[in-house]
PDB file of all heavy atoms in Angstrom:
ATOM      1  N   VAL A  60       2.223 -40.066 -25.496  1.00  0.00           N
ATOM      2  CA  VAL A  60       0.985 -40.639 -26.015  1.00  0.00           C
ATOM      3  C   VAL A  60       1.248 -41.326 -27.347  1.00  0.00           C
ATOM      4  O   VAL A  60       0.794 -42.457 -27.593  1.00  0.00           O
ATOM      5  CB  VAL A  60      -0.096 -39.556 -26.161  1.00  0.00           C
ATOM      6  CG1 VAL A  60      -1.286 -40.071 -26.961  1.00  0.00           C
ATOM      7  CG2 VAL A  60      -0.559 -39.072 -24.792  1.00  0.00           C
ATOM      8  N   ALA A 179      -6.486 -35.674 -19.648  1.00  0.00           N
ATOM      9  CA  ALA A 179      -6.545 -35.601 -21.113  1.00  0.00           C
ATOM     10  C   ALA A 179      -5.912 -36.840 -21.739  1.00  0.00           C
ATOM     11  O   ALA A 179      -6.414 -37.392 -22.731  1.00  0.00           O
ATOM     12  CB  ALA A 179      -5.849 -34.336 -21.604  1.00  0.00           C
ATOM     13  N   TRP A 254     -13.764 -59.009 -15.808  1.00  0.00           N
ATOM     14  CA  TRP A 254     -14.334 -60.346 -16.002  1.00  0.00           C
ATOM     15  C   TRP A 254     -15.588 -60.249 -16.844  1.00  0.00           C
ATOM     16  O   TRP A 254     -16.575 -59.632 -16.457  1.00  0.00           O
ATOM     17  CB  TRP A 254     -14.647 -60.955 -14.637  1.00  0.00           C
ATOM     18  CG  TRP A 254     -15.289 -62.317 -14.676  1.00  0.00           C
ATOM     19  CD1 TRP A 254     -16.569 -62.607 -14.323  1.00  0.00           C
ATOM     20  CD2 TRP A 254     -14.696 -63.547 -15.060  1.00  0.00           C
ATOM     21  NE1 TRP A 254     -16.817 -63.950 -14.465  1.00  0.00           N
ATOM     22  CE2 TRP A 254     -15.676 -64.562 -14.922  1.00  0.00           C
ATOM     23  CE3 TRP A 254     -13.424 -63.906 -15.522  1.00  0.00           C
ATOM     24  CZ2 TRP A 254     -15.428 -65.897 -15.220  1.00  0.00           C
ATOM     25  CZ3 TRP A 254     -13.175 -65.235 -15.823  1.00  0.00           C
ATOM     26  CH2 TRP A 254     -14.154 -66.212 -15.670  1.00  0.00           C
ATOM     27  N   PRO A 564      -2.044 -90.765 -26.079  1.00  0.00           N
ATOM     28  CA  PRO A 564      -1.576 -92.022 -25.482  1.00  0.00           C
ATOM     29  C   PRO A 564      -1.828 -93.221 -26.393  1.00  0.00           C
ATOM     30  O   PRO A 564      -2.653 -93.181 -27.312  1.00  0.00           O
ATOM     31  CB  PRO A 564      -2.407 -92.135 -24.204  1.00  0.00           C
ATOM     32  CG  PRO A 564      -3.075 -90.818 -24.005  1.00  0.00           C
ATOM     33  CD  PRO A 564      -3.182 -90.196 -25.357  1.00  0.00           C
ATOM     34  N   PRO A 580      -0.534 -90.361 -37.966  1.00  0.00           N
ATOM     35  CA  PRO A 580       0.567 -89.494 -38.411  1.00  0.00           C
ATOM     36  C   PRO A 580       0.066 -88.445 -39.403  1.00  0.00           C
ATOM     37  O   PRO A 580      -0.912 -88.660 -40.128  1.00  0.00           O
ATOM     38  CB  PRO A 580       1.547 -90.456 -39.086  1.00  0.00           C
ATOM     39  CG  PRO A 580       1.050 -91.821 -38.815  1.00  0.00           C
ATOM     40  CD  PRO A 580      -0.371 -91.735 -38.425  1.00  0.00           C
TER      41      PRO A 580
END
Side-chain angles (χ1 to χ4, degrees):
V60 168
W254 178 249

